[in-house]
Amino acid sequence: MACGKTADEDHPAIRRASEVLAAGGLVAFPTETVYGLGGDATCAAAVDAIYAAKGRPADNPLIVHLAGAERLTDLVTVPPVALRLAERFWPGPLTLVLPARKGLPGSLTRGLNTLAVRVPDHPVALALLRRSGLPVAAPSANRSGRPSPTTAEHVLQDLDGRLKLILDGGPCREGIESTVLDLSRDRPTLLRPGAIRREQLQEALGRTVRVPGVSEHSSPASPGTRYRHYTPQARVVLVDRDVSDTSIHGMIEHLTQLGSWAYLSVRRSTLVPPGVRVVHRQSASELTRCLFADLREFDRHGVKLILVDAVDDEEPVMDRLRRASSDRLSQEDFINLRLPEIVQRLRS
Ligand code: TXA
Ligand code: MG
């Protein structure tokens, strides 16, 4: 249902969506990051239905969305640092992992002793949360492993027939999912980079935020990072920032033999021959906002290989790109390999 960008609690679409949630049904709704697939977090059947609709691994827990920080203590223990971050960044793209209150349903905690919570910064999401009065469990509204949805149309592509209602509030502002910060351990730990940056968190906390090493990602503490993510049907290859335009031109000429491929570029100077599917993004932030939509659009055209220009490694979008990609080309590769060898590598 169309609900505009600023629906209030009395909007007919919001009323209908609240009824669906209250009856244990699933509703997709826009947030400032990506669209979420929401269900009543206190209803085991609704939570189970979310896992079934997404095809989500059973051990990967969900984020609970709230209208404000007031009801946090129903669900989690709230240390003072969490309150400080909540005051500073909520509503906003920050998820906090906190110690779960005893007695929460196992369908929600998935065997962990923590729970992830956030207050989204989107009028439609907030209207729905206020109207329903429920804590709403909501993962991104995509089939598991696919790029997250940033429009209602993307939700429909993945979940048509698997949910009751989609609230269409237009494209999402941020384009990638929230920052996930674990406050349940000795030291604050960044489980997923997002629009709220590590430096902002450190500044607000007055202490360093850890970034887990690769090996820790397989631990139960950050279940979501274990799975393959954000994958379009095509093979995604990152092109390092140090790769020269000359090397790129050479590669593109050799790639023309290679059927359906595309180039997602942030380079201004790259001249691409006609016939190549190229999408130019002006900046890291435009790349971030449009990435998931671009990946889906390439899929729609049956693209088999996507080259993507890397941006600064500190940009949160690079986390998504590293996980979506299966190879990364650097200038050194162009020095060590002949172009046909590079093309061969891109093919395999
Ligand atoms: O921006 C967002 O966060 C979006 C919108 C809809 O709010 N939601 C979202 O949910 O991205 P999802 O389920 O796609 O990603 C949640 C991430 C997963 O990586 C999951 O493993 C992690 O948060 N997570 C959830 N609960 C956790 C917990 N108790 N401990 C550690 N990680 C947790
Ligand atoms: Mg997701």
Side-chain angles (χ1 to χ4, degrees):
M1 283 174 93
C3 59
K5 284 199 167 80
T6 56
D8 65 18
E9 287 159 66
D10 293 323
H11 193 289
I14 299 291
R15 292 215 303 256
R16 175 82 194 101
S18 312
E19 285 163 16
V20 171
L21 288 179
L26 304 187
V27 171
F29 60 95
T31 78
E32 79 282 33
T33 58
V34 301
Y35 274 71
L37 176 64
D40 175 359
T42 64
C43 168
V47 173
D48 289 348
I50 293 175
Y51 282 83
K54 275 189 64 102
R56 183 179 179 99
D59 62 351
N60 191 6
L62 306 176
I63 299 171
V64 175
H65 295 64
L66 300 167
E70 302 76 31
R71 305 272 302 273
L72 262 184
T73 47
D74 295 353
L75 301 168
V76 285
T77 314
V78 188
V81 283
L83 275 186
R84 202 183 318 156
L85 293 181
E87 260 166 38
R88 170 96 180 258
F89 297 111
W90 282 354
L94 174 66
T95 295
L96 298 177
V97 173
L98 295 167
R101 289 288 296 262
K102 298 230 159 27
L104 290 184
S107 52
L108 200 54
T109 55
R110 315 310 284 192
L112 297 178
N113 51 17
T114 56
L115 188 72
V117 286
R118 92 174 185 100
V119 178
D121 183 20
H122 194 292
V124 172
L126 289 172
L128 178 65
L129 291 163
R130 283 196 201 106
R131 172 98 205 179
S132 69
L134 293 168
V136 172
S140 49
N142 50 284
R143 287 283 290 173
S144 203
R146 296 260 300 140
S148 293
T150 55
T151 66
E153 174 60 31
H154 298 161
V155 179
L156 213 55
Q157 285 169 7
D158 276 21
L159 298 176
D160 195 11
R162 296 173 186 269
L163 78 182
K164 277 270 176 356
L165 188 94
I166 304 175
L167 289 173
D168 184 351
C172 300
R173 180 181 89 206
E174 301 290 348
I176 62 168
E177 312 84 345
S178 61
T179 304
V180 179
L181 180 71
D182 188 347
L183 289 178
S184 72
R185 316 188 203 187
D186 289 346
R187 289 175 59 195
T189 304
L190 188 71
L191 298 182
R192 181 173 72 184
I196 305 290
R197 307 287 180 112
R198 185 178 173 208
E199 305 79 69
Q200 291 173 277
L201 296 169
Q202 295 185 148
E203 199 217 312
L205 289 167
R207 61 184 298 201
T208 15
V209 168
R210 284 181 64 241
V211 178
V214 176
S215 59
E216 282 177 81
H217 277 313
S218 55
S219 81
S222 55
T225 48
R226 222 178 315 154
Y227 302 105
R228 212 164 135 68
H229 263 89
Y230 319 115
T231 41
Q233 267 123 38
R235 180 169 150 74
V236 178
V237 174
L238 270 168
V239 181
D240 264 358
R241 297 210 290 172
D242 72 347
V243 175
S244 70
D245 285 352
T246 316
S247 300
I248 292 186
H249 291 166
M251 175 171 63
I252 285 177
E253 271 167 29
H254 277 75
L255 277 174
T256 42
Q257 347 151 357
L258 201 142
S260 181
W261 68 280
Y263 183 21
L264 180 51
S265 177
V266 292
R267 292 166 190 256
R268 241 155 274 186
S269 53
T270 308
L271 291 168
V272 178
V276 173
R277 191 177 297 284
V278 61
V279 172
H280 276 287
R281 295 295 170 205
Q282 301 296 324
S283 59
S285 67
E286 194 185 72
L287 180 72
T288 308
R289 199 167 57 248
C290 303
L291 176 69
F292 290 146
D294 288 341
L295 293 181
R296 281 175 181 268
E297 191 59 17
F298 290 144
D299 265 355
R300 240 173 36 83
H301 287 95
V303 168
K304 295 286 179 289
L305 168 71
I306 306 167
L307 299 177
V308 187
D309 279 338
V311 291
D312 188 319
D313 263 312
E314 293 300 308
E315 289 290 332
V317 71
M318 283 302 289
D319 162 78
R320 312 306 193 266
L321 280 172
R322 278 190 292 267
R323 290 202 246 167
S325 59
S326 53
D327 198 356
R328 184 165 180 166
L329 291 173
S330 68
Q331 186 59 28
E332 216 180 299
D333 294 317
F334 286 86
I335 293 165
N336 295 333
L337 300 170
R338 290 178 308 120
L339 283 172
E341 290 171 313
I342 289 190
V343 171
Q344 193 50 44
R345 185 165 134 188
L346 293 177
R347 251 195 189 131
S348 51

